[in-house]
Amino acid sequence: SSTNYMKVATDGTQVKVDADASKLRRSGFLVTGREATKDGSESDVMEVTPDSTRVYVSGGGSKSGFAVEDDGDGSKVGSSKSGFAVTEKGANGNAGYMNVTAANFLAGYDAGKTIKPQPLNKLGINNTVVGNNAASATINSSDNVILGTNAAKSAGTMHRSIIIGKDAGVGSSESLTSDDIFIGTQAGYSNESGFYNVFIGNEAGYSNTSGGSNLFMGQGAGYANEESNNNVFLGKYAGNLHYEGDNNIAIGNGAAQRAEAMKNSIAIGTDAGLVSDGENGIFIGNKAGYKNTTGSDNIFLGNSAGYTNTKGEQNVFVGNSA
């Protein structure tokens, strides 16, 4: 009896290929074209074989295309030979444009290209990476959501983190972090070993390298912070130049904006505690403690309360302009 290799019906189209692995690669269904060269060499456009279906399109120099493959034994889960991939022909690892597997979802040129799934060790799995060059150098990272061009581009290893925005959480090859949330262009840009941070806003926490358990929300909030911990800066440029000192709360646009070394203090209100580098201060009200520099252990309550105090300590001023 004859064998139908292609069948077209009202309910579907079937193409049958020979499953004999000893056959040449070209057994099955193949569409080729000729290159614009003197020797008229052939170039595959579409190929259907027992183990894969490929559609090749012209790329930027090297041939790029489309592939849906399964290696059959599951030994290569997470490689470009399992699931759905759009890659450069001949590229290594996950390099290409899209790689969707049981282990990871990678979309964007070179997104997550160095991630190496190790399911048994729970490493290199459960990552969603979208954006050109996003997480392109990360290794053994798991349980992350990374979205944006160059997001986490140079970060070495990270776990359970959310990084969203162009150049957010770029990090370095030495990075070892976990449980961070960076949202905004260049948010958490320099983070290398800081854990449990939340930076939301363009350039929020930009300079943070090892500081942990910080909450910065607002454009440029906590921009200069490098190693300090347990700070809360909420508002545009709140704690913007603060780089040294733990356990502070600054809420309001410009609150503690230039307070480089504030410690254990609270500043609430626009420009409250603007330049204060003292300790244990409480400034509540717009421009409260506005000129305070090194004065410590002060309580200023009210708009412009303690406005002119610079170095005085252990004062209590209550009332507007007190």
Side-chain angles (χ1 to χ4, degrees):
S1 60
S2 62
T3 301
N4 293 324
Y5 290 97
M6 184 171 183
K7 180 181 179 182
V8 179
T10 57
D11 60 348
T13 299
Q14 296 180 342
V15 178
K16 296 182 179 180
V17 296
D18 195 328
D20 186 351
S22 65
K23 298 288 186 180
L24 292 175
R25 179 180 65 87
R26 293 184 181 276
S27 65
F29 177 84
L30 184 66
V31 178
T32 64
R34 292 189 179 277
E35 298 281 4
T37 58
K38 292 182 179 180
D39 61 3
S41 59
E42 291 186 347
S43 175
D44 295 347
V45 177
M46 180 176 181
E47 178 183 2
V48 180
T49 62
D51 66 342
S52 67
T53 298
R54 293 175 177 267
V55 178
Y56 296 110
V57 297
S58 296
S62 60
K63 293 182 179 179
S64 304
F66 169 95
V68 179
E69 301 179 308
D70 187 352
D71 55 49
D73 62 3
S75 64
K76 298 179 181 178
V77 172
S79 72
S80 61
K81 290 186 175 292
S82 177
F84 173 90
V86 179
T87 70
E88 289 184 355
K89 190 173 183 180
N92 295 321
N94 300 323
Y97 302 94
M98 178 175 284
N99 189 355
V100 180
T101 69
N104 298 294
F105 181 99
L106 311 175
Y109 187 75
D110 281 353
K113 71 176 182 179
T114 57
I115 294 176
K116 299 179 180 179
Q118 301 177 45
L120 295 180
N121 296 323
K122 297 183 179 180
L123 295 174
I125 60 175
N126 302 325
N127 296 292
T128 298
V129 181
V130 178
N132 291 343
N133 296 310
S136 59
T138 189
I139 301 174
N140 297 332
S141 297
S142 302
D143 306 302
N144 299 293
V145 175
I146 301 170
L147 310 176
T149 299
N150 297 332
K153 177 181 178 179
S154 303
T157 301
M158 66 182 68
H159 302 293
R160 301 179 300 278
S161 295
I162 298 174
I163 300 178
I164 301 175
K166 184 179 184 295
D167 295 322
V170 167
S172 74
S173 60
E174 304 299 322
S175 297
L176 175 59
T177 65
S178 72
D179 303 285
D180 291 311
I181 298 176
F182 304 149
I183 300 176
T185 298
Q186 296 187 330
Y189 181 92
S190 306
N191 195 61
E192 292 188 349
S193 59
F195 293 76
Y196 309 111
N197 293 298
V198 177
F199 302 153
I200 299 177
N202 293 345
E203 298 184 337
Y206 178 96
S207 303
N208 193 82
T209 54
S210 60
S213 302
N214 295 296
L215 172 60
F216 303 154
M217 296 180 65
Q219 180 178 342
Y223 177 95
N225 191 78
E226 295 182 3
E227 302 177 356
S228 300
N229 307 300
N230 307 315
N231 294 296
V232 176
F233 300 149
L234 308 180
K236 185 176 182 180
Y237 300 127
N240 179 258
L241 297 182
H242 180 273
Y243 69 88
E244 179 184 3
D246 302 334
N247 309 313
N248 297 293
I249 297 175
I251 301 175
N253 292 341
Q257 180 176 352
R258 289 181 278 158
E260 297 179 353
M262 176 185 282
K263 301 179 181 67
N264 305 313
S265 296
I266 298 173
I268 300 176
T270 299
D271 295 334
L274 182 70
V275 294
S276 181
D277 287 335
E279 300 181 20
N280 309 314
I282 298 177
F283 312 130
I284 300 178
N286 294 337
K287 296 187 177 181
Y290 184 81
K291 294 184 178 181
N292 191 79
T293 54
T294 58
S296 298
D297 303 300
N298 292 302
I299 298 176
F300 302 153
L301 307 179
N303 293 336
S304 298
Y307 184 95
T308 59
N309 187 80
T310 56
K311 300 179 181 180
E313 299 185 346
Q314 299 180 359
N315 296 294
V316 177
F317 299 155
V318 180
N320 293 338
S321 300

